[in-house]
Amino acid sequence: METNSPTSNNIEGKVIVITGASSGLGAATARYLSARGAIVALGARRLDRIQSLADELVRGNGKAIALATDVTRHEEVKALVDTAVQTFGRVDVMINNAGLMPHSPLERLKIDDWNQTIDVNIKGVLYGIAAALPHMKERKSGHIINVSSVAGRAVRPGSAVYAATKSAVLMLSEGLRQEVKPYDIRTTVISPGAVATDLPSSVTEPDVASHIQKFYEQYAIPAESFARAVAFAISQPPEVDVNEILFRPTRQEG
């Protein structure tokens, strides 16, 4: 197991819960942190994918568990965190990563897409906070990492609902930061640009999907770029709270 990396400090031995861990940012982060000695609890709807990933990490001498988790159901997110605590004794880091991006112009009235985007991107983050916060308050220690997007700062035609949810994550994260100071809990919100994930596949409108796919093919950077940002935030000494990381491909304008 790799533990001699500069980012292994303050990562090795930490119990880290990751939602949306079946692919993309979540899976890359699980592999990256596990390689640096973290203990990971993986949540996603696709149990076969996360169980396969957990088995892979264990074969590599890591410690990992997987639990089917739909982040739109509070009880399932709570079960994921509670299982991590029961199995490993605590939760040190909660990464609220699960997300959807079904872009479409508002005039197409994709109301089901709107509801699902709000449920996953906003409520899913809130449910992750609700699941982890009581454990962290009790220990007066912990780190909550929420995933926003560059879209949380700049809206474009077709991205109104998605951008609104990611802007909400920024505000939730800042409010959380201010509220948890008495408990020595750290908070980070990470806002990626185009990163190679399954996110474009959540677009349900064929013409919009084609445009986004071409954009990602041109600009997207590897998911490990996100994992390194996560590791940077976690690896800081306890008195350092990295509250926000905004990054994008060098060639991406907006």
Side-chain angles (χ1 to χ4, degrees):
M1 180 180 298
E2 180 183 345
T3 56
N4 58 356
S5 163
T7 56
S8 65
N9 179 40
N10 234 13
I11 293 177
E12 186 173 2
K14 281 195 169 178
V15 179
I16 301 175
V17 177
I18 306 172
T19 65
S22 60
S23 63
L25 304 183
T29 301
R31 289 188 175 99
Y32 195 90
L33 297 176
S34 180
R36 285 149 183 80
I39 301 163
V40 295
L42 311 175
R45 290 179 300 172
R46 295 177 289 185
L47 180 59
D48 57 333
R49 296 281 293 269
I50 53 173
Q51 188 59 61
S52 177
L53 176 56
D55 293 343
E56 171 195 324
L57 299 179
V58 170
R59 287 195 300 271
N61 297 319
K63 293 182 179 180
I65 59 171
L67 192 69
T69 307
D70 180 347
V71 298
T72 68
R73 300 179 65 86
H74 168 247
E75 64 274 16
E76 293 191 15
V77 184
K78 185 177 186 298
L80 172 64
V81 173
D82 288 350
T83 299
V85 172
Q86 292 160 9
T87 306
F88 303 117
R90 65 189 188 281
V91 56
D92 296 303
V93 183
M94 179 73 195
I95 304 177
N96 292 307
N97 165 71
L100 292 174
M101 190 184 71
H103 283 359
S104 65
L106 291 171
E107 66 184 19
R108 297 192 188 179
L109 306 181
K110 302 288 289 185
I111 293 173
D112 287 344
D113 282 356
W114 300 351
N115 287 333
Q116 189 177 25
T117 305
I118 291 167
D119 287 347
V120 173
N121 293 3
I122 300 180
K123 292 182 181 178
V125 170
L126 284 169
Y127 294 159
I129 293 170
L133 192 53
H135 296 288
M136 295 180 177
K137 280 180 60 179
E138 183 178 358
R139 295 181 61 240
K140 290 192 181 305
S141 176
H143 191 169
I144 296 176
I145 299 176
N146 298 327
V147 181
S148 180
S149 167
V150 296
R153 298 172 177 276
V155 64
R156 294 176 177 273
S159 73
V161 176
Y162 176 74
T165 64
K166 290 304 185 178
S167 181
V169 172
L170 290 175
M171 294 301 101
L172 288 172
S173 301
E174 174 57 15
L176 177 67
R177 182 194 71 79
Q178 296 178 32
E179 292 181 15
V180 299
K181 293 296 118 182
Y183 313 110
D184 291 328
I185 296 171
R186 303 194 295 179
T187 65
T188 303
V189 58
I190 302 180
S191 301
V195 178
T197 70
D198 289 343
L199 207 56
S201 67
S202 64
V203 181
T204 59
E205 294 291 85
D207 59 328
V208 180
S210 176
H211 173 75
I212 291 176
Q213 190 60 47
K214 290 176 182 177
F215 179 84
Y216 270 67
E217 289 173 358
Q218 182 177 2
Y219 292 109
I221 53 180
E224 190 174 289
S225 59
F226 174 84
R228 289 194 299 269
V230 170
F232 173 78
I234 295 173
S235 67
Q236 301 306 307
E239 69 273 15
V240 177
D241 191 8
V242 178
N243 301 130
E244 189 171 354
I245 298 174
L246 169 68
F247 75 97
R248 54 169 61 85
T250 304
R251 296 176 58 240
Q252 181 180 341
E253 293 181 5

